[in-house]
Amino acid sequence: EDIKTLTEFVAKGNTKSLIICGQGGIGKTYEVTSTLRKLLGEPGDKYTYHSGAKVSPRSFYASVFRERDVLQVWDEADSILTQDDTIMMLKPALDTSGKPVMEYITGTYPMNGKSEAEVRDYCAQCDDADSLVFTQNVNKVKDDEMVVPSKFYFDGEMIFISNMRASQIEDAIKSRSIFIDVYLCARDMYNRTKSIMKAKYPNKTDEQLDKFFEALGMAIPSQDSEM
């Protein structure tokens, strides 16, 4: 219920970032994506969904820039939350105390000294270009290309879904986000799995589901069972 409520909270623009971490197989992705589909429809103009992406800092910067005005869901893209370069970019982008920005200096068009209006105007021009490029030599840029800006204002939101332990995620990112740590004992894990099955197969009884789990070789834990 917390995942549903907070996903909706982020989708309505009430906060910049939500991190959901915890063991796999408990429905983190299902709850987020089903909530967003009910609220915003399929991924597209209002939100994007990235799954299992292993991204370099440069490609992450470019992707966030192209989707800077919408909600971005990053599922199992743990490298984003562990690479020093992406962490440094995320800190100002997720900061709610001022105007969130993201910066990348190498191979980009310099925005230093530019006003907010000038930065936004250049970014709008990039949106109209056929392609975006990184280059150290702006004189070799083709007519239908634009160089990625070294700075842009991040007006969207982000949801990160990860199987990592909470201790593996940078404190500076957690402090800028709403954070849910989902690790369950054996009984809670079993009940959670059963609740997902009931949502998908509402006509099945508890007894039928228990038999199904037993057939899969899953032991039904006692009330005092722990991980």
Side-chain angles (χ1 to χ4, degrees), residues 13-67:
N14 294 307
T15 190
K16 296 296 290 184
S17 175
L18 169 65
I19 300 174
I20 306 165
C21 75
Q23 65 211 75
I26 59 176
K28 301 187 299 295
T29 297
Y30 172 79
E31 295 296 354
V32 170
T33 55
S34 62
T35 299
L36 290 177
R37 283 192 176 92
K38 290 178 183 177
L39 192 66
L40 303 175
E42 294 297 320
D45 294 337
K46 296 182 179 179
Y47 74 100
T48 59
Y49 177 75
H50 306 272
S51 179
K54 183 173 177 60
V55 294
S56 67
R58 174 179 285 192
S59 60
F60 177 64
Y61 181 83
S63 181
V64 175
F65 172 70
R66 285 190 289 267
E67 302 166 7

Side-chain angles (χ1 to χ4, degrees), residues 28-119:
K28 301 187 299 295
T29 297
Y30 172 79
E31 295 296 354
V32 170
T33 55
S34 62
T35 299
L36 290 177
R37 283 192 176 92
K38 290 178 183 177
L39 192 66
L40 303 175
E42 294 297 320
D45 294 337
K46 296 182 179 179
Y47 74 100
T48 59
Y49 177 75
H50 306 272
S51 179
K54 183 173 177 60
V55 294
S56 67
R58 174 179 285 192
S59 60
F60 177 64
Y61 181 83
S63 181
V64 175
F65 172 70
R66 285 190 289 267
E67 302 166 7
R68 65 190 179 278
D69 298 325
V70 302
L71 167 61
Q72 304 172 25
V73 180
W74 294 91
D75 189 2
E76 295 187 20
D78 294 345
S79 60
I80 295 171
L81 299 175
T82 55
Q83 293 181 108
D84 290 341
D85 288 342
T86 50
I87 289 171
M88 291 302 294
M89 285 190 284
L90 281 173
K91 287 179 182 180
L94 302 181
D95 191 358
T96 57
S97 61
K99 292 185 177 180
V101 298
M102 186 174 280
E103 296 190 58
Y104 190 90
I105 305 300
T106 306
T108 54
Y109 189 81
M111 291 284 108
N112 53 303
K114 304 288 186 181
S115 67
E116 179 180 347
E118 289 174 319
V119 172

